[in-house]
Amino acid sequence: MCRNIRQLHNFEPAATSDEIRAAALQYVRKVSGSTKPSQANQAAFDEAVEEIAHVTAHLLAHLTTSAPPKNREIEAAKARARSAQRYGAA
């Protein structure tokens, strides 16, 4: 599950709220051990996702770096190359 959590800091353009929420959702799924909570736990699950997304957005807004921003397309191409090497070309 955690492989889906991507680095969000220092990209141009900056991470969107959807990307931040997706990372928060993956984190809560991993910690809870459940991809779909029961009805009894749905409210707590949703609340945790929203709180973690909020804290993540706050963190990203306050991080600083002297490194130049990364290009999303270049980083995606590198990830595809690593995946092809690891799993074989599709």
Side-chain angles (χ1 to χ4, degrees):
M1 272 189 243
C2 284
R3 289 185 184 167
N4 294 332
I5 298 176
R6 303 287 181 228
Q7 179 180 337
L8 300 175
H9 176 61
N10 198 28
F11 277 99
E12 189 59 45
T16 65
S17 59
D18 288 341
E19 291 173 313
I20 293 170
R21 188 176 189 294
L25 177 60
Q26 288 298 321
Y27 175 79
V28 171
R29 285 177 172 171
K30 183 65 172 185
V31 170
S32 70
S34 172
T35 58
K36 184 166 173 41
S38 66
Q39 287 181 340
N41 293 325
Q42 185 68 52
F45 190 91
D46 293 342
E47 182 180 349
V49 170
E50 294 309 316
E51 287 182 19
I52 291 169
H54 175 76
V55 170
T56 301
H58 178 80
L59 172 66
L60 293 174
H62 289 86
L63 289 175
T64 60
T65 184
S66 58
K70 296 175 189 167
N71 181 292
R72 289 180 181 277
E73 285 76 32
I74 292 172
E75 294 301 317
K78 289 178 186 177
R80 284 190 297 274
R82 286 189 305 268
S83 179
Q85 185 176 16
R86 184 181 304 129
Y87 301 113

